[in-house]
Amino acid sequence: MGAPDSDARDGGDLDGFHIGHLPSGIGDLVSDFASEWEDVSFATRVWERQVEDGHRVDLRVHVLRGERLGTLAELRDFLAEYHERDPAEWELTEFQHVDSSGLIGAAEAFLPGRARVGRGRWLAAPGVAVDVLVDQERFTTDTLRAVTQGITAPESPAASPTCVRR
């Protein structure tokens, strides 16, 4: 998978999803990773930039796949555990992404169970989710929302990876 061109404001394809919008000023160092945690697989793309004392991450996009990610509540619980957040203090609000609901905070937005397909159509895909995180010192919640809204799935279910990999 080649590194996408950040000047084109397009993040390329990641595990069956297209990242169609990148914020201006995003770092040009791009890395892809694959991992698994608690029976959930992660395909991750990270954009970072060089700073005086090393590197700083501007944006992370995770495509998560696992049976335990069937609902928004299950995804929220999983991510609270994964990111070691106190669910009672994690400030998130619901937002609409075409005809699906997700949750968004100051630096993170996520959507479960559905993938955008084509021009506003949606494909039910239980067990798949997208999680987007930005550096909140550099980017606003509106920027986070724009990146999240720009993530789409392939045109046909056959082109998409299976929902759960073993």
Side-chain angles (χ1 to χ4, degrees):
M1 188 176 318
D5 179 2
S6 64
D7 290 336
R9 299 180 51 85
D10 182 300
D13 294 330
L14 177 66
D15 195 21
F17 288 82
H18 183 75
I19 304 162
H21 174 77
L22 296 177
S24 61
I26 194 169
D28 59 359
L29 301 171
V30 182
S31 302
D32 287 350
F33 304 94
S35 60
E36 187 170 314
W37 188 78
E38 297 291 324
D39 295 324
V40 173
S41 66
F42 288 71
T44 302
R45 179 160 297 152
V46 176
W47 287 262
E48 55 189 327
R49 61 190 155 77
Q50 192 164 3
V51 294
E52 189 173 302
D53 58 346
H55 291 88
R56 178 125 186 197
V57 173
D58 287 330
L59 172 67
R60 281 182 287 163
V61 175
H62 301 288
V63 175
L64 297 85
R65 295 178 186 276
E67 291 179 9
R68 64 187 286 189
L69 306 177
T71 67
L72 184 57
E74 290 169 338
L75 176 58
R76 184 184 191 279
D77 291 345
F78 173 81
L79 289 172
E81 185 180 351
Y82 177 75
H83 292 302
E84 298 179 351
R85 294 200 171 106
D86 179 349
E89 294 186 17
W90 195 10
E91 293 185 30
L92 297 166
T93 57
E94 193 169 319
F95 76 102
Q96 285 301 118
H97 186 255
V98 183
D99 66 353
S100 182
S101 294
L103 292 173
I104 191 167
E108 182 171 10
F110 48 89
L111 298 158
R114 293 187 178 269
R116 185 174 176 181
V117 179
R119 299 176 184 243
R121 298 185 330 258
W122 284 77
L123 167 69
V128 65
V130 175
D131 183 29
V132 179
L133 298 100
V134 297
D135 177 350
Q136 72 182 57
E137 292 178 15
R138 294 198 67 218
F139 301 106
T140 65
T141 303
D142 288 340
T143 300
L144 171 62
R145 185 182 314 271
V147 172
T148 304
Q149 297 285 13
I151 296 176
T152 59
E155 288 295 324
S156 72
S160 181
T162 58
C163 293
V164 179
R165 288 186 278 180
R166 298 226 182 246

